[in-house]
Coordinates of all heavy atoms in Angstrom, one line a residue:
G779 N 37.4 33.4 6.7 CA 37.8 34.2 7.9 C 36.8 34.4 8.9 O 36.9 35.4 9.7
G780 N 35.8 33.6 9.0 CA 34.7 33.7 10.0 C 35.0 33.1 11.3 O 36.0 32.6 11.6
D781 N 34.0 33.3 12.2 CA 34.1 32.8 13.6 C 33.3 31.5 13.7 O 32.3 31.3 13.0 CB 33.5 33.8 14.6 CG 34.4 35.0 14.7 OD1 35.6 34.9 14.4 OD2 33.8 36.1 15.1
W782 N 33.8 30.6 14.5 CA 33.1 29.3 14.8 C 32.4 29.4 16.1 O 33.0 29.8 17.1 CB 34.1 28.2 14.8 CG 33.5 26.8 14.9 CD1 33.6 26.0 16.0 CD2 32.7 26.2 13.9 NE1 32.9 24.9 15.7 CE2 32.3 24.9 14.5 CE3 32.2 26.5 12.7 CZ2 31.5 24.0 13.8 CZ3 31.4 25.6 12.0 CH2 31.1 24.4 12.5
E783 N 31.2 29.0 16.2 CA 30.3 29.1 17.4 C 30.4 27.8 18.2 O 30.3 26.7 17.6 CB 28.9 29.4 17.0 CG 28.7 30.7 16.3 CD 27.3 31.0 15.9 OE1 26.4 30.1 16.0 OE2 27.0 32.2 15.6
L784 N 30.5 27.9 19.5 CA 30.4 26.8 20.4 C 29.1 26.8 21.1 O 28.6 27.8 21.6 CB 31.6 26.9 21.5 CG 33.0 27.0 20.9 CD1 34.0 27.0 22.0 CD2 33.3 26.0 19.9
K785 N 28.4 25.6 21.1 CA 27.0 25.5 21.5 C 26.9 24.8 22.8 O 27.6 23.9 23.1 CB 26.2 24.8 20.4 CG 26.4 25.3 19.0 CD 25.5 26.6 18.8 CE 25.5 27.0 17.4 NZ 24.7 28.2 17.2
A786 N 25.9 25.3 23.6 CA 25.5 24.6 24.9 C 24.9 23.3 24.5 O 24.2 23.1 23.6 CB 24.6 25.5 25.7
R787 N 25.2 22.3 25.4 CA 24.6 21.0 25.1 C 23.2 20.9 25.6 O 22.4 20.0 25.1 CB 25.5 19.9 25.9 CG 26.9 19.9 25.5 CD 27.1 19.4 24.0 NE 27.4 20.5 23.1 CZ 27.6 20.4 21.8 NH1 27.6 19.2 21.3 NH2 27.8 21.4 21.1
T788 N 22.8 21.7 26.5 CA 21.5 21.6 27.1 C 20.4 22.2 26.2 O 19.3 21.7 26.0 CB 21.4 22.3 28.5 OG1 22.0 23.6 28.3 CG2 22.2 21.5 29.5
N789 N 20.7 23.4 25.6 CA 19.6 24.1 24.8 C 20.1 24.6 23.5 O 19.4 25.2 22.7 CB 19.1 25.3 25.6 CG 20.2 26.3 26.0 OD1 21.3 26.3 25.4 ND2 19.9 27.1 27.0
G790 N 21.4 24.3 23.1 CA 21.9 24.6 21.8 C 22.2 26.1 21.6 O 22.6 26.5 20.5
A791 N 22.2 26.9 22.7 CA 22.5 28.3 22.6 C 24.0 28.5 22.3 O 24.8 27.7 22.8 CB 22.1 29.0 23.9
T792 N 24.3 29.6 21.7 CA 25.7 29.9 21.4 C 26.4 30.4 22.7 O 25.9 31.4 23.2 CB 25.9 30.9 20.3 OG1 25.3 30.4 19.1 CG2 27.3 31.3 20.1
L793 N 27.4 29.8 23.2 CA 28.1 30.2 24.4 C 29.3 31.1 24.1 O 29.6 32.0 24.9 CB 28.6 28.9 25.2 CG 27.5 28.0 25.7 CD1 28.1 26.8 26.4 CD2 26.5 28.7 26.6
S794 N 30.0 30.8 23.0 CA 31.1 31.7 22.7 C 31.5 31.5 21.2 O 30.9 30.6 20.5 CB 32.3 31.3 23.5 OG 32.7 30.0 23.3
K795 N 32.3 32.4 20.7 CA 32.8 32.3 19.3 C 34.3 32.3 19.3 O 34.9 33.0 20.1 CB 32.2 33.4 18.5 CG 30.7 33.5 18.3 CD 30.3 34.6 17.5 CE 28.8 34.6 17.3 NZ 28.4 35.8 16.4
I796 N 34.9 31.5 18.4 CA 36.3 31.5 18.3 C 36.6 31.7 16.8 O 36.0 31.0 15.9 CB 36.9 30.1 18.7 CG1 36.6 29.9 20.2 CG2 38.4 30.1 18.5 CD1 37.1 28.5 20.7
P797 N 37.6 32.5 16.4 CA 37.9 32.6 15.0 C 38.3 31.2 14.5 O 39.1 30.5 15.1 CB 39.2 33.6 15.0 CG 39.0 34.4 16.3 CD 38.4 33.5 17.3
A798 N 37.8 30.8 13.3 CA 38.0 29.5 12.8 C 39.5 29.3 12.6 O 40.0 28.2 12.8 CB 37.3 29.4 11.4
A799 N 40.2 30.4 12.2 CA 41.7 30.3 11.9 C 42.4 29.9 13.2 O 43.4 29.2 13.2 CB 42.2 31.6 11.3
K800 N 42.0 30.5 14.3 CA 42.6 30.2 15.6 C 42.4 28.7 16.0 O 43.3 28.1 16.5 CB 42.1 31.1 16.7 CG 42.7 30.9 18.1 CD 42.1 31.9 19.1 CE 42.8 31.6 20.5 NZ 42.2 32.5 21.5
L801 N 41.2 28.3 15.8 CA 40.8 26.9 16.2 C 41.7 25.9 15.3 O 42.2 24.9 15.8 CB 39.3 26.6 16.0 CG 38.7 25.4 16.6 CD1 39.0 25.4 18.1 CD2 37.2 25.4 16.4
W802 N 41.8 26.3 14.0 CA 42.6 25.4 13.1 C 44.0 25.4 13.5 O 44.7 24.4 13.4 CB 42.4 26.0 11.7 CG 42.9 25.1 10.6 CD1 43.8 25.4 9.6 CD2 42.5 23.7 10.3 NE1 44.0 24.4 8.8 CE2 43.2 23.3 9.1 CE3 41.6 22.9 10.9 CZ2 43.0 22.1 8.6 CZ3 41.4 21.6 10.3 CH2 42.2 21.2 9.2
E803 N 44.5 26.6 13.9 CA 45.9 26.7 14.4 C 46.2 25.8 15.6 O 47.2 25.1 15.7 CB 46.3 28.1 14.7 CG 47.7 28.4 15.0 CD 48.7 28.2 13.9 OE1 48.2 28.3 12.7 OE2 49.9 28.1 14.1
E804 N 45.2 25.8 16.5 CA 45.3 25.0 17.7 C 45.3 23.5 17.4 O 46.1 22.7 18.0 CB 44.2 25.3 18.7 CG 44.4 26.6 19.4 CD 45.7 26.7 20.2 OE1 46.1 25.7 20.8 OE2 46.3 27.8 20.1
I805 N 44.5 23.1 16.4 CA 44.5 21.7 16.0 C 45.9 21.3 15.4 O 46.4 20.3 15.7 CB 43.4 21.5 14.9 CG1 42.0 21.5 15.6 CG2 43.6 20.1 14.2 CD1 40.9 21.5 14.6
G806 N 46.4 22.2 14.6 CA 47.8 21.9 14.0 C 48.8 21.9 15.1 O 49.7 21.0 15.0
N807 N 48.8 22.8 16.0 CA 49.8 22.8 17.1 C 49.7 21.6 17.9 O 50.8 20.9 18.3 CB 49.6 24.0 18.0 CG 50.1 25.3 17.4 OD1 51.1 25.3 16.7 ND2 49.5 26.4 17.6
A808 N 48.5 21.1 18.3 CA 48.3 19.9 19.1 C 48.8 18.7 18.4 O 49.5 17.8 19.0 CB 46.9 19.8 19.5
A809 N 48.5 18.6 17.1 CA 48.9 17.4 16.3 C 50.4 17.4 16.2 O 51.1 16.3 16.2 CB 48.2 17.4 15.0
W810 N 51.0 18.6 16.0 CA 52.5 18.7 15.9 C 53.2 18.2 17.2 O 54.2 17.5 17.1 CB 52.8 20.1 15.6 CG 54.3 20.4 15.3 CD1 54.9 20.3 14.1 CD2 55.3 20.6 16.2 NE1 56.2 20.6 14.2 CE2 56.5 20.8 15.5 CE3 55.4 20.8 17.6 CZ2 57.8 21.1 16.1 CZ3 56.6 21.1 18.2 CH2 57.8 21.2 17.5
T811 N 52.5 18.5 18.3 CA 53.1 18.2 19.6 C 52.9 16.8 20.0 O 53.8 16.1 20.6 CB 52.6 19.1 20.7 OG1 52.8 20.5 20.3 CG2 53.2 18.9 22.0
S812 N 51.7 16.2 19.8 CA 51.3 15.0 20.4 C 50.7 14.0 19.4 O 50.3 12.9 19.9 CB 50.3 15.2 21.5 OG 49.1 15.8 21.0
A813 N 50.5 14.3 18.1 CA 49.9 13.4 17.1 C 48.4 13.3 17.3 O 47.7 12.7 16.5 CB 50.5 12.0 17.1
D814 N 47.8 14.0 18.3 CA 46.4 14.1 18.5 C 45.9 15.5 18.5 O 46.7 16.4 19.0 CB 46.0 13.3 19.8 CG 45.7 11.9 19.5 OD1 45.1 11.5 18.5 OD2 45.9 11.1 20.4
P815 N 44.7 15.8 18.1 CA 43.7 14.9 17.7 C 43.8 14.6 16.2 O 44.3 15.4 15.4 CB 42.4 15.7 17.9 CG 42.8 17.2 17.7 CD 44.2 17.2 18.2
G816 N 43.3 13.4 15.8 CA 43.0 13.1 14.4 C 41.7 13.8 14.0 O 41.0 14.3 14.9
L817 N 41.4 13.8 12.8 CA 40.2 14.5 12.2 C 39.3 13.4 11.6 O 39.8 12.6 10.9 CB 40.6 15.5 11.2 CG 41.5 16.7 11.7 CD1 41.6 17.8 10.6 CD2 41.1 17.3 13.0
Q818 N 38.0 13.6 11.9 CA 37.0 12.8 11.2 C 36.1 13.8 10.5 O 35.5 14.7 11.2 CB 36.2 11.9 12.2 CG 37.1 10.8 12.8 CD 36.3 9.9 13.6 OE1 35.0 10.0 13.7 NE2 37.0 8.9 14.3
F819 N 35.9 13.7 9.2 CA 35.2 14.7 8.4 C 33.7 14.3 8.4 O 33.3 13.5 7.6 CB 35.8 14.8 7.0 CG 37.3 15.2 7.1 CD1 38.2 14.3 6.6 CD2 37.7 16.4 7.6 CE1 39.6 14.6 6.7 CE2 39.1 16.7 7.7 CZ 40.0 15.8 7.2
D820 N 33.0 15.0 9.3 CA 31.6 14.6 9.6 C 30.7 14.6 8.4 O 29.9 13.7 8.1 CB 31.0 15.5 10.7 CG 29.7 15.1 11.1 OD1 29.6 14.1 12.0 OD2 28.7 15.7 10.7
S821 N 30.8 15.7 7.6 CA 29.9 15.8 6.4 C 30.2 14.7 5.4 O 29.3 14.1 4.8 CB 30.1 17.2 5.7 OG 29.8 18.2 6.6
R822 N 31.5 14.4 5.2 CA 31.8 13.3 4.2 C 31.3 12.0 4.7 O 30.8 11.2 3.9 CB 33.4 13.3 4.1 CG 33.8 12.7 2.7 CD 33.5 13.7 1.6 NE 34.1 15.0 1.8 CZ 33.4 16.1 2.1 NH1 32.1 16.0 2.1 NH2 34.0 17.2 2.3
I823 N 31.5 11.7 6.0 CA 31.1 10.4 6.5 C 29.6 10.2 6.3 O 29.1 9.1 5.9 CB 31.4 10.3 8.0 CG1 33.0 10.3 8.2 CG2 30.8 9.1 8.7 CD1 33.4 10.5 9.6
N824 N 28.8 11.2 6.6 CA 27.4 11.1 6.5 C 26.8 11.2 5.1 O 25.7 10.8 4.9 CB 26.7 12.1 7.5 CG 26.8 11.6 8.9 OD1 26.1 10.7 9.3 ND2 27.7 12.3 9.7
E825 N 27.6 11.8 4.2 CA 27.1 11.7 2.8 C 27.2 10.3 2.2 O 26.4 10.0 1.3 CB 28.0 12.7 2.0 CG 27.7 14.1 2.2 CD 28.8 15.0 1.5 OE1 29.7 14.5 0.9 OE2 28.6 16.2 1.5
W826 N 28.0 9.5 2.8 CA 28.1 8.1 2.3 C 27.4 7.1 3.3 O 27.7 5.9 3.3 CB 29.6 7.7 2.2 CG 30.3 8.4 1.1 CD1 30.9 9.6 1.1 CD2 30.4 7.9 -0.3 NE1 31.5 9.9 -0.2 CE2 31.2 8.9 -1.0 CE3 30.0 6.7 -0.9 CZ2 31.5 8.7 -2.4 CZ3 30.4 6.6 -2.3 CH2 31.1 7.5 -3.0
H827 N 26.6 7.6 4.2 CA 25.9 6.9 5.2 C 24.7 6.1 4.5 O 23.8 6.7 3.9 CB 25.3 7.8 6.2 CG 24.7 7.2 7.4 ND1 24.7 5.9 7.7 CD2 24.0 7.8 8.5 CE1 24.1 5.6 8.8 NE2 23.6 6.8 9.3
T828 N 24.7 4.8 4.7 CA 23.6 3.9 4.1 C 22.3 3.9 4.9 O 21.3 3.5 4.4 CB 24.1 2.5 3.9 OG1 24.5 2.0 5.2 CG2 25.3 2.4 3.0

Side-chain angles (χ1 to χ4, degrees):
D781 292 337
W782 185 251
E783 297 180 349
L784 305 185
K785 305 286 188 178
R787 300 294 101 178
T788 50
N789 58 17
T792 299
L793 296 179
S794 62
K795 296 181 180 181
I796 301 176
K800 180 180 179 181
L801 198 54
W802 191 238
E803 184 71 17
E804 287 302 320
I805 289 173
N807 282 326
W810 187 91
T811 303
S812 64
D814 269 325
L817 302 188
Q818 294 186 4
F819 303 116
D820 185 80
S821 301
R822 204 70 56 248
I823 293 167
N824 282 289
E825 286 171 356
W826 291 88
H827 186 8
T828 57

